Amino acid sequence: MDFDPLRIRSAFPALERIHDGRPCVFADAPGGTQVPHTVIEAMGSYLTHSNANRGGAFATSEETDEVVARARSAGADFLGASPREIVFAANTTTLAFSLSRSLAHLVEEGDEIVVTALDHDANVAPWMIMSKECGAELRWVEVDPGDTTLNLESLEQALSDRTRVVAFTLASNATGTVVPASQIVDLARETPAIVVADGVHAAQHRLLDAHSLGVDVLFTSPYKYFGPHLGMAYIRQPLIDQWAPYKVRPSSDQSPDRWETGTQNHEALAGLVAAIDYVASIGRDGEPSGNRRAQVVEGMRAIEAYEASLSDRFLAQVRDLHGVTLFGIGETSRISGRTPTFAVRCLEELPRETATRLGAAGIFVWDGDYYAQTIMERLGLAASGGAVRIGFCHYNTLDEVDRVLEELDNSGG
């Protein structure tokens, strides 16, 4: 497949931003990507021509119903699921809390809930609170602090016939670690647990297939893969029909609508369709046509292959920078086990100081714990500001990787 970084970049108007005569480097993708022109246009077009609530007997309301239907179809194509299994909300955290509340009636005192030390807190706190309210025991799957990989022996020890929920991330938003999802699911399926996967970080970098993965729930956030701020989840049939959501009485009793409380962000749903169509168009001329799922597969595989070159470039050089410490997988031979997201510290600089220094050079990175609170505690970084997170995606270039490394070297003294 023809993957042209310059052509890719031309689709994103934000990348034209200039700082001190040079293009800015958007190395902040783990916190949310920039969006292509088509997403902006789709959202604007909806607001201009079809802005209405659902269920009315007039044109703009009917057009909004069509937008929602198209969004479910696109979401299903992105996740390898059925449109009836796709649920939307304001954000993934809201979805996780809503789901945990709905599932609480399945958990009794003495049951066990399993979470991991690698996860974003959106896939920890809802289950932690549920376990406390239900009198269940919260069990942790630990990480190897040397490379921040999940300890599968710890997972095996955490599981039992009293396990009711196993919640894990597909990839760490803090250190980029990609977990062995199939092994985790296989182990979890030896228990009666509901299996919940956080795909928020992974979805930007890896092809997701909910049915092949075999989980019951899969969370993603479209603003992490070139779309608007929105939350989206896959909930497996027939569970989506069996579980009881908290909702107002007049709302639909049919899935998946009954899981979506209140009025949805319809313009964002229009943008979601455009974002997934963008992924399906990568390496192609013109708009996608035909089998969108097959084109999403092709587009995401192209993204993964290209991003491997970014990771290789960064890892090959960061080890030689004086005073720069990398947390997570550092060997170029293990690139398949990580995304191009890197947690670093520079000498005695606090992470905010390093991020500020890079920002002054037109390089945008995150600092802190990025809501991945537990892994920062395990690494001993929580009390001193966490780490600097450098995150590349498919619209970044090798030259930008070099520029970040150069500024990191300067920061390290």
Side-chain angles (χ1 to χ4, degrees), residues 135-290:
E137 179 184 352
L138 190 73
R139 294 191 167 188
W140 288 92
V141 180
E142 292 299 336
V143 298
D144 179 348
D147 61 5
T148 70
T149 55
L150 272 186
N151 185 324
L152 292 185
E153 183 178 343
S154 173
L155 171 60
E156 293 182 37
Q157 294 171 351
L159 297 172
S160 79
D161 60 3
R162 297 302 302 269
T163 305
R164 294 296 177 263
V165 175
V166 175
F168 72 99
T169 187
L170 298 180
S172 169
N173 75 308
T175 64
T177 303
V178 175
V179 306
S182 61
Q183 292 178 259
I184 295 171
V185 174
D186 287 346
L187 288 169
R189 287 304 181 204
E190 296 177 5
T191 76
I194 292 163
V195 183
V196 180
D198 176 358
V200 172
H201 182 70
Q204 184 185 122
H205 306 288
R206 295 288 193 273
L207 175 68
L208 300 185
D209 191 310
H211 288 171
S212 296
L213 189 59
V215 296
D216 297 310
V217 179
L218 175 59
F219 294 122
T220 71
S221 296
Y223 73 96
K224 300 294 181 75
Y225 45 90
F226 327 114
H229 287 89
L230 187 69
M232 183 173 80
Y234 153 86
I235 305 177
R236 181 174 65 86
Q237 287 184 305
L239 298 181
I240 193 171
D241 297 319
Q242 295 173 354
W243 297 338
Y246 281 65
K247 70 180 191 67
V248 296
R249 291 175 297 170
S251 66
S252 174
D253 288 321
Q254 300 299 312
S255 295
D257 300 81
R258 68 192 185 114
W259 287 91
E260 296 169 352
T261 57
T263 300
Q264 297 298 299
N265 187 340
H266 302 131
E267 60 270 29
L269 295 179
L272 168 66
V273 176
I276 293 172
D277 281 345
Y278 162 75
V279 172
S281 73
I282 290 175
R284 296 176 174 273
D285 292 322
E287 296 296 319
S289 60

Side-chain angles (χ1 to χ4, degrees), residues 349-360 363 365-367 388:
E349 281 187 330
L350 294 176
R352 176 50 62 100
E353 294 172 337
T354 304
T356 299
R357 188 183 299 240
L358 292 174
I363 297 172
V365 299
W366 288 102
D367 68 281
V388 176

Side-chain angles (χ1 to χ4, degrees), residues 29 39 41 58 67 81 111 115 128 133 160 188 192-193 211 221 244 267 298 360 374 386 389 396 407:
V39 170
E41 292 164 359
F58 52 94
V67 165
D111 286 341
V115 296
M128 180 183 290
E133 291 180 343
S160 79
H211 288 171
S221 296
E267 60 270 29
E298 193 175 358
T374 308
R389 182 175 66 182
N396 291 115
E407 292 296 337

Side-chain angles (χ1 to χ4, degrees), residues 310-364:
L310 302 178
S311 293
D312 184 82
R313 184 73 144 247
F314 186 89
L315 292 176
Q317 298 183 51
V318 72
R319 70 186 69 174
D320 297 326
L321 300 185
H322 172 68
V324 177
T325 300
L326 172 71
F327 301 91
I329 294 172
E331 300 90 347
T332 56
S333 60
R334 298 174 64 192
I335 281 175
S336 62
R338 61 143 48 252
T339 68
T341 294
F342 309 97
V344 302
R345 292 283 292 255
C346 294
L347 286 178
E348 300 302 319
E349 281 187 330
L350 294 176
R352 176 50 62 100
E353 294 172 337
T354 304
T356 299
R357 188 183 299 240
L358 292 174
I363 297 172
F364 303 158

